[in-house]
């Protein structure tokens, strides 16, 4: 049998253009960014540079306006009436920890799902091991969809918080937030929007969200080191850190009002300026337009590999039930039609080893400038759920700036790797 290298790259008519970079790792961080983002950050560094809220001179006032503009843009995006209920953070991980450490108390019961990222699981498992909370994980099916019946049965009188991953960073599965809200009643809901903010319509009032954690560098198209947390009015959190806020400087105690209570120390203001420009770009383009484009890309990828021999696809396999993230493995398989028992194009025979290991597949894709991510994607519990632990998957995650031509080339590359199985 010809080697993988021969099958994948030896044919000059394969259709793979080695000169063009195809970035399909947007679930890790989006790239490229809108030019407005860089422009806003350079403008801040070259023409503003001051610390908002710390001085009364014109540059500090302009810095404050840029930060407030970013906060206002996020409020518009998520339909938040009071922008002061949004505090900035370095990333979604910091935002999540702010809720876990500032809201939960000794003896609380917490529910989360079997599709969560380690940004949720690690702090909650830590609190459980310290015997501060009781943690239970609601099961999901092999496609990553939450078992809503199980959720209802697992609620307790002392359930203090339900934590929900809006969309999986492994296989893109979207959860039904409205259904979860209906089942849990008045129990506070924390929604992790790391994979949906900016690419899927989110309305905190319509969804009944109490806490919304977001990161700036993924679907929001902003710079790394930005993110934040929305806290519903009427909920109080203990701050993750205490210190200078530029407000009530005569008081040795932390301010008790939002957002100052959760924003101690100088923020990443140049990053926030870039994030504000990114969100303005999204508002101008329209989230619905972005969603339609990413759905088109997802459908093209799924259609291109759906019935491909030796490729197993994970997740809903439905662009309406997922974001633009698709996970695959290259397996020794017994081919069926596209209605196989796993809901995939092929049935994965678990007693067979992968014909092409995922790291080898990544190497061959990278050599042809198709950039993906392989492994467990910081979400081992999700991989246990979909049946890909401990090796993980090859993940292709598309973004607003990808084109159909990128997907066609990726499909062709996957086809050539699969032929080596």
């Amino acid at each position: 049998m010809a080697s993988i290298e021969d099958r994948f790259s030896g044919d000059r008519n394969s259709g793979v253009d080695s000169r063009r970079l195809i970035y399909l790792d947007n679930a890790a961080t989006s790239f490229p960014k809108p030019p407005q983002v860089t422009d806003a950050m350079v403008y801040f560094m070259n023409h503003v540079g001051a610390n908002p809220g710390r001085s009364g001179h014109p540059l500090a006032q302009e810095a404050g306006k840029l930060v407030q503009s970013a906060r206002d843009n996020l409020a518009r995006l998520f339909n938040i009436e009071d922008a002061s209920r949004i505090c900035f953070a370095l990333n979604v991980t910091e935002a999540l920890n702010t809720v876990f450490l500032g809201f939960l108390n000794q003896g609380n019961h917490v529910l989360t799902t079997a599709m969560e990222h380690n940004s949720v699981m690690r702090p909650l498992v830590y609190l459980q091991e310290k015997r501060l909370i009781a943690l239970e994980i609601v099961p999901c099916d092999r496609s990553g969809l939450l078992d809503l019946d199980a959720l209802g049965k697992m609620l307790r009188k002392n359930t203090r918080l339900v934590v929900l991953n809006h969309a999986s960073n492994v296989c893109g599965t979207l959860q039904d937030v409205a259904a979860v809200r209906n089942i849990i009643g008045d129990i506070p809901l924390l929604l992790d929007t790391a994979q949906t903010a900016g690419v899927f319509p989110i309305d905190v009032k319509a969804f009944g969200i109490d806490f919304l954690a977001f990161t700036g560098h993924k679907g929001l198209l902003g710079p790394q080191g930005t993110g934040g947390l929305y806290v519903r009015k009427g909920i109080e959190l203990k701050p993750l850190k205490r210190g200078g806020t530029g407000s009530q400087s005569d008081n040795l105690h932390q301010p008790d009002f939002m957002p100052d209570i959760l924003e101690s120390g100088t923020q990443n203001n140049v990053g926030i300026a870039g994030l504000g420009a990114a969100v303005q770009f999204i508002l101008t383009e329209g989230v619905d337009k972005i969603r339609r484009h990413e759905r088109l890309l997802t459908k093209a990828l799924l259609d291109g590999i759906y019935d491909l021999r030796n490729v197993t696809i994970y997740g809903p396999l439905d662009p309406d039930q997922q974001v633009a993230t698709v996970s695959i493995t290259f397996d020794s398989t017994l081919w069926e039609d596209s209605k196989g028992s796993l809901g995939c194009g092929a049935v994965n025979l678990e007693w067979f080893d992968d014909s092409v290991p995922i790291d080898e597949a990544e190497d061959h894709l990278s050599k042809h400038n198709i950039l993906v991510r392989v492994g467990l994607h910081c979400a081992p519990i999700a991989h246990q759920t979909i049946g890909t632990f401990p090796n993980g998957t090859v993940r292709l995650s598309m973004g607003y700036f990808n084109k159909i031509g990128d997907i066609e080339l990726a499909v062709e590359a996957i086809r050539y790797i699969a032929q080596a199985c």
Side-chain angles (χ1 to χ4, degrees):
M1 179 180 292
S3 68
I4 297 173
E5 184 66 31
D6 289 341
R7 284 183 173 270
F8 182 57
S9 60
D11 185 352
R12 293 183 179 180
N13 297 318
S14 67
V16 177
D17 182 358
S18 61
R19 297 168 297 176
R20 186 177 178 210
L21 183 70
I22 299 175
Y23 184 83
L24 298 177
D25 195 20
N26 289 275
T29 195
S30 59
F31 181 80
K33 310 294 185 182
Q36 296 93 321
V37 175
T38 303
D39 292 344
M41 296 174 73
V42 171
Y43 176 81
F44 188 97
M45 292 299 293
N46 288 342
H47 301 287
V48 183
N51 203 337
R54 267 61 173 185
S55 304
H57 56 71
L59 291 183
Q61 291 181 20
E62 185 172 0
K65 289 178 181 178
L66 289 172
V67 171
Q68 186 59 46
S69 175
R71 214 185 301 270
D72 290 341
N73 284 344
L74 287 162
R76 287 177 56 198
L77 182 66
F78 299 133
N79 194 26
I80 296 169
E81 290 184 352
D82 182 358
S84 71
R85 303 303 302 180
I86 300 171
C87 70
F88 289 109
L90 288 175
N91 42 54
V92 72
T93 301
E94 186 175 60
L96 292 164
N97 275 266
T98 298
V99 178
F100 299 147
L101 299 176
F103 184 67
L104 297 174
N105 298 307
Q106 180 86 39
N108 287 164
H109 177 243
V110 178
L111 288 176
T112 191
T113 83
M115 290 300 292
E116 300 301 319
H117 189 276
N118 275 344
S119 293
V120 167
M121 295 307 304
R122 285 179 173 173
L124 289 179
V125 168
Y126 168 80
L127 293 176
Q128 179 189 43
E129 290 177 345
K130 292 295 182 179
R131 299 185 179 180
L132 297 174
I133 66 167
L135 174 65
E136 286 191 279
I137 299 172
V138 185
C140 300
D141 65 20
R142 287 289 293 265
S143 67
L145 289 170
L146 183 65
D147 186 335
L148 295 172
D149 290 335
L151 171 63
K153 294 175 182 177
M154 294 172 71
L155 296 173
R156 301 184 191 171
K157 290 182 179 180
N158 65 330
T159 303
R160 172 72 164 168
L161 184 67
V162 174
V163 187
L164 180 66
N165 188 346
H166 194 190
S168 168
N169 72 307
V170 172
C171 56
T173 306
L174 276 163
Q175 304 296 350
D176 188 341
V177 182
V180 171
R181 175 81 275 170
N182 184 58
I183 289 170
I184 68 175
D186 294 332
I187 297 171
L189 173 63
L190 165 57
L191 190 67
D192 177 356
T193 67
Q195 298 297 324
T196 53
V199 301
F200 190 87
I202 298 173
D203 185 325
V204 299
K205 290 193 292 185
F207 283 0
I209 298 170
D210 300 285
F211 303 102
L212 186 147
F214 61 90
T215 198
H217 69 99
K218 299 189 182 188
L220 288 178
L221 303 177
Q224 297 175 8
T226 61
L229 174 69
Y230 158 75
V231 182
R232 180 178 58 78
K233 187 176 181 179
I235 295 179
E236 296 183 359
L237 295 179
K238 298 186 291 290
L240 190 65
K241 53 191 175 183
R242 293 171 171 81
T245 61
S247 58
Q248 296 185 347
S249 295
D250 59 333
N251 191 343
L252 297 182
H253 297 93
Q254 189 76 0
D256 60 359
F257 55 87
M258 288 282 288
D260 296 41
I261 187 173
L262 301 179
E263 286 188 352
S264 290
T266 296
Q267 305 296 303
N268 177 15
N269 294 306
V270 62
I272 292 171
L275 176 60
V279 177
Q280 182 59 60
F281 172 84
I282 291 169
L283 291 169
T284 300
E285 292 291 295
V287 176
D288 289 338
K289 178 182 177 182
I290 293 171
R291 170 64 177 161
R292 285 195 302 272
H293 179 69
E294 294 198 358
R295 183 193 178 283
L296 180 68
L297 298 175
T298 306
K299 186 177 187 303
L301 178 59
L302 291 173
D303 287 349
I305 63 176
Y306 202 74
D307 290 317
L308 190 61
R309 293 174 184 264
N310 303 325
V311 173
T312 304
I313 314 170
Y314 302 88
L317 279 69
D318 182 348
D320 289 328
Q321 294 186 45
Q322 64 187 92
V323 293
T325 295
V326 175
S327 266
I328 64 173
T329 52
F330 295 91
D331 305 307
S332 295
T333 58
L334 175 65
W335 187 83
E336 281 191 4
D337 63 20
S338 57
K339 302 190 184 302
S341 63
L342 289 184
C344 307
V347 176
N348 185 357
L349 299 182
E350 295 184 358
W351 57 86
F352 278 46
D353 292 329
D354 289 351
S355 292
V356 180
I358 58 172
D359 55 348
E360 190 173 340
E362 180 188 29
D363 287 343
H364 287 288
L365 290 168
S366 293
K367 286 176 183 177
H368 290 77
N369 290 340
I370 299 172
L371 308 183
V372 301
R373 183 177 176 184
V374 305
L376 295 176
H377 316 105
C378 300
I381 190 172
H383 282 279
Q384 291 171 7
T385 298
I386 67 174
T388 53
F389 187 84
N391 295 322
T393 59
V394 177
R395 185 184 71 185
L396 302 93
S397 51
M398 297 147 282
Y400 187 54
F401 295 111
N402 285 120
K403 298 177 171 48
I404 285 292
D406 298 339
I407 307 308
E408 292 172 348
L409 291 174
V411 168
E412 187 69 14
I414 292 169
R415 186 179 303 277
Y416 272 81
I417 296 174
Q419 286 175 356
C421 292

